[in-house]
Amino acid sequence: MSVIQHCRSKLLQIACSSCRVLQKISLSTGGCQGSGIHLKPKRVTPRRAVLYIPGNDERKLKKIEILKVDSAVMDCEDGVAANRKVEARQTIKKALDILDFGRTECIVRVNSVNSGLMEDDLKVVCDAEKLPQTLMIPKVNSAQELATITHQVTTVLKNRELTHKISLILFVESALGLINLREICEKGTEFSLRSNTFSVDGLVFGSDDYCADIGAKRSTDGWELLYARQKLVTLAKAFRLQVIDMVHIDYKDQESLREQSVKSSQMGFTGKQVIHPSQIPIVQKAFSPSPEYIEWAKGVIHAFEEHQASGKGAFTYRGHMIDMPLLLQARNVVQLAEVIHDW
C-alpha cells in the first residue's frame, strides 16, 4: 500500500466522527505510535481571511488585537526589506510575548529555505516565550525541500515543551512547486503522522510569484491562473488540507474583492489572503456558510444518524443521494459555523 493510500485509509476511518479539518488534526496530534507522547487535539482553526503585517512594523502589529481577523501573519519575508530582516525577527519575537491575539490565529511567515534566512528566522521567533500557533513556509518547490524545512523546524523546537503541534502552511509560488505538489502533499502527510512537533495542514497560492515564474500577465478576472488554482484546490482537498487563495491587490476596489471572494469560495478555497484591514469583513463573510447552508448540513447529519441507527445503508436527502464526501462536507460546515458564531 502506498503512503497516500495508507494516509487516506486512516482519514476515512474517522470520517463519521469528525469534519475534514478535525480529521487531519486528530491524526497529527495523537503522537507517534509507541512514542508515549500525546498532545491535545487542536481546536478547529478557520482561516477565512489571512492578513499580512510587516514584521518590523510594531505599530501595525499592535493593531492585531482589535482587528477580529481569523489569521494574522507577522511577516519576515516579502513584506520586509532585506536590510530590515533582523529587526523583523526581533520585533515579532517581542510581539509574540506581549500581544493578546484572542481568537485570532497567530502566524509567522519565515523566509524560504533557499534564501538562507529561514534557520535564523526560526531560531529567533521560536525563542519567544509564547510560540506562534502556525508557521508559513514560502516557495516550497519539492518534497526534498520540505524534508529540509521540517528537519529545521524539528531541530529548533526539540527542547520546547509543546501542548499542541505547530501547524505548517506551505506556499505554492512556481511552476515547479505546482508540478511537484502531489509529492509535497504526500510527504507532508507522512511527515506529520510521524512527528510530535508539527503538522502540515494548509496550502497557499502565491499568485504574483507564480505569474512572474511562468511569464503570465495578471488580468482583472485572473483567467490566466485558473488551471493553477483548480489544481491547488484539488490536491489540497485530496489530502484534507485547507487552501488559501490569492491576494486581491487593489484593496480599494471592494466590489471586485467581494465578487472574487465569492467565486473563490465556490471553487473550493477555504480562505483568502488579504493585505488591508478593510478587506477582512468582506472576505470573512464570503467564506462563511449561509444560514440556509448550515440548515442543510444539519439536516444531512441528522438524516445520516437516523439511517445509521436503523441499519440502513445509502439514502437520499432532499432528492440527493448522500455519500461520505457529502457527509464530511456537512460536518465541516456545521463545525465552521460553530467556531465563527461569536465573531
Side-chain angles (χ1 to χ4, degrees):
M1 180 183 290
S2 69
V3 172
I4 184 171
Q5 289 172 325
H6 171 73
C7 294
R8 295 197 68 182
S9 175
K10 288 288 187 181
L11 287 164
L12 287 172
Q13 289 176 17
I14 60 170
C16 293
S17 61
S18 179
C19 68
R20 289 183 178 184
V21 176
L22 286 179
Q23 289 176 46
K24 185 69 171 60
I25 291 171
S26 63
L27 282 173
S28 62
T29 57
C32 300
Q33 288 187 346
S35 68
I37 300 174
H38 297 280
L39 303 181
K40 297 177 182 178
K42 292 175 62 177
R43 69 177 179 89
V44 174
T45 305
R47 298 182 177 118
R48 295 168 298 169
V50 179
L51 174 69
Y52 295 95
I53 307 102
N56 62 307
D57 194 326
E58 189 171 358
R59 180 184 64 84
K60 290 182 179 179
L61 291 177
K62 288 181 178 178
K63 292 184 178 181
I64 293 173
E65 296 180 326
I66 62 172
L67 291 177
K68 291 190 177 181
V69 64
D70 282 352
S71 301
V73 183
M74 298 185 286
D75 195 15
C76 287
E77 201 220 7
D78 285 349
V80 179
N83 64 347
R84 306 296 291 274
K85 300 288 189 182
V86 174
E87 178 188 352
R89 294 172 192 144
Q90 295 295 339
T91 305
I92 290 172
K93 177 184 175 183
K94 178 181 177 182
L96 285 167
D97 288 336
I98 66 173
L99 294 184
D100 179 7
F101 290 89
R103 293 181 59 179
T104 294
E105 180 188 22
C106 171
I107 303 178
V108 174
R109 179 166 70 169
V110 297
N111 286 280
S112 69
V113 67
N114 290 325
S115 71
L117 300 172
M118 191 181 83
E119 187 172 7
D120 288 337
D121 290 341
L122 289 172
K123 286 179 178 178
V124 174
V125 168
C126 294
D127 191 45
E129 183 178 342
K130 298 178 183 177
L131 291 171
Q133 295 166 260
T134 301
L135 294 170
M136 277 187 162
I137 314 294
K139 300 175 176 62
V140 180
N141 291 318
S142 68
Q144 290 75 24
E145 286 185 10
L146 181 58
T148 301
I149 291 162
T150 54
H151 174 73
Q152 289 192 16
V153 170
T154 302
T155 300
V156 168
L157 293 172
K158 66 180 180 181
N159 295 322
R160 296 297 300 261
E161 185 175 342
L162 303 178
T163 57
H164 301 100
K165 286 189 178 187
I166 300 291
S167 294
L168 300 185
I169 298 179
L170 313 179
F171 276 74
V172 178
E173 303 184 72
S174 69
L176 183 60
L178 189 66
I179 289 173
N180 291 333
L181 187 55
R182 175 171 175 166
E183 185 181 3
I184 291 169
C185 290
E186 184 175 330
K187 286 297 182 183
T189 303
E190 178 186 349
F191 295 159
S192 298
L193 289 170
R194 293 177 178 178
S195 175
N196 280 301
T197 303
F198 66 86
S199 173
V200 177
D201 63 14
L203 301 174
V204 178
F205 183 44
S207 57
D208 291 328
D209 283 301
Y210 181 83
C211 281
D213 187 55
I214 68 172
K217 294 182 179 179
R218 289 295 298 268
S219 65
T220 303
D221 59 7
W223 67 268
E224 70 282 359
L225 298 171
L226 183 59
Y227 165 73
R229 293 168 70 213
Q230 288 179 326
K231 182 168 184 178
L232 195 71
V233 168
T234 301
L235 284 168
K237 297 308 175 73
F239 288 89
R240 301 297 185 255
L241 302 173
Q242 290 192 20
V243 56
I244 313 301
D245 202 7
M246 59 190 183
V247 170
H248 187 272
I249 299 298
D250 186 359
Y251 68 87
K252 294 183 179 180
D253 186 354
Q254 295 192 343
E255 185 55 38
S256 180
L257 171 66
R258 184 176 292 105
E259 292 176 3
Q260 192 182 91
S261 298
V262 169
K263 290 179 180 178
S264 175
S265 176
Q266 291 172 341
M267 284 181 67
F269 284 95
T270 54
K272 188 173 184 62
Q273 301 166 83
V274 299
I275 55 174
H276 192 274
S278 66
Q279 296 179 314
I280 295 170
I282 295 171
V283 170
Q284 292 192 164
K285 181 178 180 181
F287 286 93
S288 298
S290 67
E292 295 77 17
Y293 199 19
I294 296 170
E295 189 270 334
W296 168 86
K298 289 180 177 179
V300 168
I301 295 170
H302 179 69
F304 172 79
E305 291 171 349
E306 285 188 338
H307 279 75
Q308 285 289 99
S310 65
K312 297 179 182 179
F315 67 99
T316 59
Y317 179 73
R318 296 183 181 178
H320 295 279
M321 181 66 69
I322 302 301
D323 55 10
M324 189 56 66
L326 272 178
L327 175 66
L328 291 174
Q329 181 180 348
R331 291 186 181 277
N332 200 38
V333 168
V334 172
Q335 193 80 45
L336 177 60
E338 290 174 349
V339 172
I340 66 178
H341 177 71
D342 296 329
W343 278 66

